[in-house]
Amino acid sequence: MKHAALYAISLLGILLFASCRTQEYVVSGPEGGIAFEVTLPDGFDTAKDHCPMVILMHGIFSSKDYGPMPQLAKGFAKAGIASVRFDFDGHGRSEGRKQDMTIEKELADTRAVWNYVQSLPYVRGIGLLGHSQGGVVASMTAGRLAAEGGVSPAGVVLLAPGSVIKEACQGGKFFNARFDPKDPPEYIRCWGMYKLGREYLVTTQQLDIYGTAAAYGGPVLLLHGDRDGIVPMWCSERFLQTYGDHATLRVVEGENHTITRRRPQVVATTVAFFRQVFGL
């Protein structure tokens, strides 16, 4: 009995030690390690096969494991397209604090993931997809890459791109939190749970979202639900004006911001777009 008790205590110590070990991160951003998950087509052999890959970016206060990201990853895999979805700093399993989040830091996170994907020998062609605030980051990342004159995304999908964040910060009202936009506090609380720091509230007011995005000249698909109560339709319409003839806006009837009502339709439309972009 004594030996059994000692064994149990030892086993518990091992388990506690294992659970407290620092996670190893392959990619790092300004706030530390970035957690990500790669989804490959069934039967894909990274040693001899090749395929395109789409980088998936979630929205504010969300993560790579919340819809529609996992469903999109599965849809791409069935179509022969790999994907990598990741948590921005301070979200999900990535390091950092939400309170320290800024768009510039999320752009740096995305660039770190982009560089990692480019280093993968089996990847042939890269696309970007962003939902809500992730759509802002995707659009600006594509624009910066294009402006630099190097490798640009083969295609970009923006799901209800949340460019309204700039106007929200300028107007001193973000979700249900109010503040003085000229002198924001150290942080605000959205819905009483999530902290947005002063740096985010100040720097977001100064973003050149559409001007940065405009440098990208590749194919763009905009998807926006007509029952989106968080990001207004004019955000997608403004992006459409910015991109011109190489962009298409599809309004999804009955869909909300979190893409729960017409998710299979949104996934199918997105997959079809990238199949065409990648020539599959």
Side-chain angles (χ1 to χ4, degrees):
M1 189 64 128
K2 181 179 179 181
H3 292 296
L6 289 173
Y7 174 79
I9 293 173
S10 299
L11 180 60
L12 177 61
I14 293 172
L15 291 174
L16 287 173
F17 175 77
S19 66
C20 293
R21 285 186 302 176
T22 302
Q23 179 176 345
E24 294 184 3
Y25 294 94
V26 176
V27 179
S28 293
E31 296 299 308
I34 299 172
F36 67 88
E37 183 170 342
V38 173
T39 302
L40 299 171
D42 290 340
F44 187 86
D45 186 343
T46 57
K48 62 181 181 180
D49 297 332
H50 299 90
C51 70
M53 178 173 281
V54 179
I55 300 174
L56 309 179
M57 284 154 273
H58 64 77
I60 192 170
F61 306 140
S62 187
S63 87
K64 63 179 171 54
D65 298 320
Y66 292 166
M69 298 307 166
Q71 294 78 17
L72 285 163
K74 291 179 181 179
F76 286 134
K78 290 180 180 179
I81 301 171
S83 65
V84 55
R85 61 187 196 271
F86 69 96
D87 292 325
F88 284 114
D89 63 88
H91 294 73
R93 296 180 179 275
S94 289
E95 295 183 321
R97 301 188 306 169
K98 286 186 177 71
Q99 183 178 335
D100 299 325
M101 169 190 61
T102 66
I103 297 300
E104 198 60 47
K105 289 177 182 177
E106 293 201 344
L107 285 164
D109 288 344
T110 304
R111 182 62 68 94
V113 175
W114 170 272
N115 291 340
Y116 169 76
V117 172
Q118 275 200 305
S119 74
L120 298 174
Y122 61 85
V123 172
R124 295 291 185 270
I126 307 172
L128 298 180
L129 180 150
H131 174 232
S132 196
Q133 181 167 285
V136 172
V137 176
S139 71
M140 295 181 70
T141 298
R144 288 187 178 184
L145 288 168
E148 292 169 6
V151 178
S152 293
V156 174
V157 170
L158 306 180
L159 306 178
S163 50
V164 69
I165 57 174
K166 179 175 181 177
E167 285 75 11
C169 288
Q170 289 176 334
K173 183 181 179 182
F174 206 103
F175 292 120
N176 66 329
R178 293 182 179 275
F179 57 94
D180 180 356
K182 296 181 180 179
D183 186 21
E186 178 185 354
Y187 63 85
I188 61 172
R189 285 186 181 272
C190 297
W191 299 307
M193 298 185 295
Y194 304 114
K195 291 181 179 179
L196 275 182
R198 176 185 173 88
E199 187 179 3
Y200 178 95
L201 301 173
V202 171
T203 58
T204 302
Q205 297 182 44
Q206 304 162 359
L207 289 176
D208 182 15
I209 298 173
Y210 305 109
T212 303
Y216 178 69
V220 178
L221 174 64
L222 294 147
L223 290 167
H224 209 125
D226 65 357
R227 295 190 180 182
D228 191 327
I230 295 178
V231 173
M233 185 67 68
W234 62 256
C235 292
S236 285
E237 293 171 345
R238 180 73 183 275
F239 272 113
L240 184 63
Q241 294 173 356
T242 298
Y243 288 123
D245 294 340
H246 61 96
T248 301
L249 170 59
R250 294 192 181 182
V251 178
V252 185
E253 294 184 4
E255 186 55 280
N256 55 26
H257 184 67
T258 53
I259 310 177
T260 56
R261 297 176 178 174
R262 301 287 187 273
R263 185 172 291 171
Q265 176 184 342
V266 171
V267 171
T269 301
T270 302
V271 170
F273 169 81
F274 277 115
R275 280 181 57 85
Q276 182 175 6
V277 163
F278 292 129
L280 301 177

